[in-house]
Amino acid sequence: MEQEEDDLLNFDSSNQPDDDFGEVIQDWAVVAQKYQGKKRNTVPKRGVKDAEPLAQESTTYDERMLSEARNTMYEALSKTRRVPVPGNGSMDPLTIRYDRQTGEFYMTQPKGKFLETLGKTDRDGKTVWMFPEEAVFLVERGSCIAKYSDDDSHVLSLEELYSMAFANPGDYEKFMCYSHLKRCGYTIQRHAEYDEMIPLVTEVMVPVLSTKRFQLGHLANYLTRSLSWFRRLILPLVDRIGLFCFNGGLSRYPLLHPQHFEFSRYFRYSSMFSQLQTVFLRPSSHQEVQANQQTKYRICFNIWKPTPGFRKKSPPVPDFQVCVIDVNSTNFPSFEEVRSLLGRCDSHTVKKVERTSVATGPDDFKLKYGEKHILICIIDQGVMNFVRLNDSSFASEGLIWQDQWLQKKKFAPRKGGRKNRRKQ
Amino acid sequence: MTTTVSDRIRLRGKKHQMLPVDTVDLSCFVPHNPVSWAVCLYKVYAGAVPVLPTVRFESGNFFAADWASINKLWRRGFYGKGTLSRSEPSWFNRTKRRLRLDEGTELSSEEIIAQRRHQREEFKRQRQELDALERRYKLEEDSANLARVEKLRHALTETKGRHARSSTPVEEVEIRPEDDVLIQEGKLQNIEVLQLSHTETLFLKLIGCIDIQSEDGPVGLKTAWMQILGLEFTSEDSRLLRFIAYAHYRSLGWCVRSGLKFASDFLLYQRGPPFQHAKYTLRVCGVKEGSMSWIRYSGINRVVSGVKKTMVLSYVTSEWNENEFESIREQMECCSDDHEFALLVADLVSHYRVDEVVYHRWVANRNRE
C-alpha cells in the first residue's frame, strides 16, 4: 500500500519540469492507465497544452476531446482504490492513546509497517511512544485513530488533536515540514535540538589549504606529455632563484612597489600569483563557534533518504538535517549562526563520482556542495520552501590559473578535466 | 555569452593571461644547445620590459583609451568593459563591418547574439504558421492533415538551432547620420574606451600593473584611493569589503567580473568570458551589517540559478580593536609615499578573512535518490 502511494507521488513529481509542487492538474489518463495494470516504463513528457477550446461556440473537435477526457476520468474513478480506511469493517482501526496528564502519545498493541521508522518502542515491545507530529501524521493519513487514554468511547477529531499536539509556537510549522517530507518518502526523526539545549561550543573544521596537491599521477602525466622534460625540471628551479633574488626579500623593489614589475623577473604566471597570495589571499581561520542559545536556528529533524533495512534503534548518519523557521519573524542567519549550524550538524555531503587523479582544474563538486550541509525549511503562512546551505572553500582549491594554458598546444582538449566533467 | 565550438577555438588561439604584465619567456631554452643558454641568461638579465597599460582618469572615471592599453587590459585578465559594447570592446570591428570597410574580421559576440535572435524569431514565425494550420484542420476535422502538421512541427523542433553558423543575414550597408563624423581621412576613428571599475583600478594600481594619468599628470596610488574610497571609510565599509573579496579571488587566479546583471557583486570565471560561462556568483557580505530577509536571498538565488550558476555568499570578516583600525587609517592619511601606502593597505587587508557559504534551493522530490 505504501509502495503504491509512493509510486503515485513519484509520478506527479516527474511530470513537472519546475520545482513547484502541488500545482499540477490531475491527468486522469495517467491514473486510468495505472489502474489498467499497464506498466509504465518511461516518464511521460509534458505535451502541448490542449485545454483551450478552438472557438467561442462549440465545435465537433472540442466536443469529442471533452467527452473523451470525461470518459477517461469516469473509468479511472470506477476502479476500486486499494487504500484501506480504518473503521469501515475491512480493517481494525489502530488506536493511538493520548494521556491527558502527561501529554504523551503512545500506542499499545503496536502493529503496522509504518512502525519501522516511527515512534520509540518500549523494551518489552508492547508500547510505542510517539512524538506529537508522528501521532498527528498517522491520524491525518488515516492509518490510525486517536483516543484519550482514559476514555474509550470518544474518538478524537483532528481539531482536538491539533490543539493538543501543537501547543508551542512553531510546532505547527515543524509538523508541516515533517509531514511534507514524510509524504515524499523520506524517513524522518526528531533531532536532539528540537526541544533541548544546543551544545555550547562547536569545533568547526578548517579546510586544509593546498596550493597544489602533489600527486604521483600528476608527475607521470607531466613527464609523458612533455617533449622537453628537461626544461620542465629546470624552469621551476630558475623560477625559485628568480623569485628569491629579484622579486622577494633581496629585491629593492618588493611586491606592491610601484616599480616592482619593472625590475622583477617572473617566468611563470603562477609564481606571480603566489606572490600576490602572500598579500591578498585571506583564507578562513575560524576554529570554534559559540552557540547562541537564543538562536531560532535549531536543528529539528534528521532525514534519511528512503533506504531498505532502516532500523530506528540504530539509525545511520542522517542524509540531511533540517531547521524549520518562520520567514516573517526570522531573518537570514548571520555568519556566526551558519558556522555554528554547520559545525553542529553531522550530515556529510556524499560524492557520487570520484575525481580521477588526472583531472585538473578546480573540483567543482566540492566548491558547490562542500563537505557539510544543512537544510533550512522556511515557511511563510503555510507555504514551504527548502534552502540548503553548505560550506565551501575556494582557497583550498588553490590556484585556478594554469601555466599550461599558455602552451602552444592549444587546440587539443584539456587533459582529463573535460572528459571527466562529461562523465559526471 | 554562449559561444559555438568554432568561436571557442578562435578565442583560445589567442593568448589570454590573467595579469597585464609580462613574464620572461624562456621557451627558447634547448638543453643541448649552449647558445640558447646564453640567450636565456641575457633574457633573465634584461627582464621583461614592462609596458604598463595607461589608464586615464577624468571626472571620476578610470578608462583606457589607446588600443595597446585596451588590448592588454582585456586580453590579460579581462579587466574593464567596452563603453559601447556588452563587455569586450568590439565597437570598432562591428562598425567596420557595418560600413563594409573590412570584410575579413570575425563576428563579435554582439553580432553572434543578434544572429541567434534572428534565427529564433524565424523559428517562432514558422511555428505560429503551423499552429494556425493545425487549428484550421481541427475545425475541419481533417485527421490526415493534422498528422502531417504534427510531423512538420516535429521536424521544425528537430532542426531548431542546427544551422547556427550558416545563415548569416545579408544586410544592406546601413549608413547612419553620425558616420560622416566617424570617418576622418578615409579611416574609421575608434571612439570606444575600456572603462575600469573602481575595484579593478584599485587592485591593478596597488600591485603596480597600470599607470594612471589625469589632466594634471600622473595619479599615484594614494590619490586613486582617495578618489575611490576616501579616507573616511569604516572597517565595515562595503566598498572596502568588496575590494578585499575581489583581491582574494583574483590572487587565486579566478577571473572576477562584475555580477550586476545577476543581482550579485561578482562573477567568477575559471578562465574568462570567452572560454566558458561563469559558474559562480559572489555576494559579498559583511558580518556586522544586519542580515537581510529570506525573501531577498531567495530572489537573488532565483536569478542566479536561472542562468545555471551557483550562488556563493562570501563573508568578509575582521577582528579589529578600534584603536588599531584608527591608527592604520591615520597613518594612511599622513603617508605620502606610494610604496608605504601600499604596505599600509596590505596591513589593512591582512586583518580580514574571507569565507564562503553556498546557497542552493532544495527540493524534496529531487533529492530522494
Side-chain angles (χ1 to χ4, degrees), chain A residues 264-283:
Chain A
S264 60
R265 309 283 189 279
Y266 286 104
F267 306 102
R268 296 181 301 175
Y269 279 95
S270 53
S271 47
M272 264 188 219
F273 279 114
S274 65
Q275 281 277 331
L276 287 180
Q277 284 177 5
T278 57
V279 179
F280 294 115
L281 186 63
R282 311 301 321 154

Side-chain angles (χ1 to χ4, degrees), chain B residues 202 221-231 333 341:
Chain B
L202 210 53
L221 174 61
K222 190 180 177 186
T223 327
W225 181 279
M226 296 277 283
Q227 290 293 337
I228 291 168
L229 270 155
L231 284 169
E333 233 165 288
F341 193 85

Side-chain angles (χ1 to χ4, degrees), chain A residues 43-157:
Chain A
V43 180
K45 273 193 187 148
R46 289 231 297 198
V48 188
K49 277 185 191 166
D50 207 12
E52 212 173 333
L54 288 174
Q56 207 88 43
E57 60 277 2
S58 73
T59 57
T60 37
Y61 180 82
D62 285 335
E63 293 276 318
R64 188 163 53 77
M65 294 308 278
L66 191 63
S67 71
E68 263 174 30
R70 204 184 284 133
N71 286 338
T72 333
M73 181 180 78
Y74 288 151
E75 204 177 316
L77 285 176
S78 66
K79 301 285 187 297
T80 332
R81 284 180 74 200
R82 279 174 293 157
V83 179
V85 182
N88 69 352
S90 66
M91 238 179 109
D92 280 338
L94 295 163
T95 313
I96 294 174
R97 299 283 175 175
Y98 176 70
D99 190 327
R100 270 189 266 202
Q101 266 78 48
T102 58
E104 280 170 326
F105 291 90
Y106 63 91
M107 189 188 246
T108 48
Q109 301 149 348
K111 56 180 173 179
K113 199 168 180 286
F114 49 80
L115 288 178
E116 276 173 17
T117 56
L118 261 175
K120 197 172 180 216
T121 317
D122 258 359
R123 236 174 246 160
D124 54 5
K126 280 183 184 157
T127 318
V128 173
W129 299 91
M130 285 175 181
F131 288 120
E133 66 270 14
E134 296 174 327
V136 176
F137 175 75
L138 287 176
V139 175
E140 217 176 44
R141 187 171 177 260
S143 309
C144 302
I145 55 170
K147 285 178 182 172
Y148 287 124
S149 56
D150 47 0
D151 178 5
D152 219 21
S153 59
H154 177 59
V155 176
L156 289 171
S157 68

Side-chain angles (χ1 to χ4, degrees), chain A residues 10 13 16-21 50 53-55 59-61 64 180-181 184-186 230-231 234-235 238 246 254-258 261-262 264-269 272-273 276-277 279-286 297 305-306 320 325 327 330-335 338-339 342 352 361-362 364 367-369 375-376 378 380 385-395 398-402 405-406 408 410-412 414 418 421, chain B residues 8-10 12-19 21-31 43-48 50 52 76 135 138-139 141 146 153 203 206-209 243-244 247-254 268-271 275-276 279-280 282 287 290-295 297-298 302 310 312-313 315 317 319 338-339 342-343 345-346 349-369:
Chain A
N10 248 331
S13 65
Q16 302 166 55
D18 199 41
D19 317 326
D20 298 348
F21 24 81
D50 207 12
L54 288 174
T59 57
T60 37
Y61 180 82
R64 188 163 53 77
H180 171 69
L181 290 173
C184 286
Y186 290 91
F230 193 61
R231 188 196 298 160
I234 290 291
L235 195 60
V238 177
F246 298 106
L255 189 73
L256 298 185
H257 194 282
F261 283 108
E262 215 166 308
S264 60
R265 309 283 189 279
Y266 286 104
F267 306 102
R268 296 181 301 175
Y269 279 95
M272 264 188 219
F273 279 114
L276 287 180
Q277 284 177 5
V279 179
F280 294 115
L281 186 63
R282 311 301 321 154
S284 159
S285 68
H286 293 257
Y297 287 95
K305 295 172 182 178
F320 307 101
I325 56 110
V327 154
T330 321
N331 263 352
F332 194 80
S334 69
F335 179 55
V338 179
R339 296 284 297 190
L342 287 173
K352 280 177 191 151
D364 278 316
L367 285 180
K368 266 189 191 171
Y369 300 109
L375 298 184
I376 297 179
I378 51 178
D380 179 18
N385 189 22
F386 287 90
V387 167
R388 174 198 154 117
L389 296 178
N390 61 259
D391 61 346
S392 178
S393 174
F394 280 67
L399 187 61
I400 298 303
W401 167 262
Q402 291 170 28
W405 285 342
L406 290 181
K408 275 167 193 144
K410 285 197 186 65
F411 293 93
R414 273 184 294 135
R418 199 158 262 278
R421 214 162 295 145
Chain B
R8 266 181 226 145
I9 289 172
R10 167 175 71 86
R12 218 178 281 165
K14 294 177 186 168
K15 281 197 173 183
H16 289 279
Q17 283 98 332
M18 271 295 158
L19 291 166
V21 280
D22 291 302
T23 51
V24 180
D25 183 18
L26 292 188
S27 59
C28 58
F29 182 70
V30 182
K43 277 192 171 177
V44 173
Y45 167 73
L52 296 186
R76 301 184 167 205
R135 188 187 147 80
K138 271 182 181 172
L139 285 172
E141 291 278 307
L146 262 181
R153 196 205 301 275
F203 177 71
L206 189 63
I207 61 175
C209 279
F243 167 70
I244 289 164
H248 173 84
Y249 293 105
R250 271 285 178 189
S251 77
L252 279 170
W254 290 93
L268 290 188
Y269 289 88
Q270 199 182 321
R271 279 189 77 178
F275 295 97
Q276 69 273 89
K279 281 186 191 143
Y280 306 96
L282 287 183
V287 172
S291 63
M292 297 193 300
S293 81
W294 277 97
I295 315 266
Y297 279 97
S298 65
R302 274 283 157 169
T310 304
V312 179
L313 306 173
Y315 285 94
T317 54
E319 277 160 25
D338 264 7
H339 181 47
L343 291 180
V345 174
V349 171
S350 73
H351 284 80
Y352 289 85
R353 294 273 177 266
V354 182
D355 288 275
E356 292 96 8
V357 170
V358 182
Y359 180 114
H360 293 278
R361 184 156 179 262
W362 190 83
V363 181
N365 274 333
R366 283 187 179 177
N367 285 279
R368 221 173 346 226
E369 274 85 47

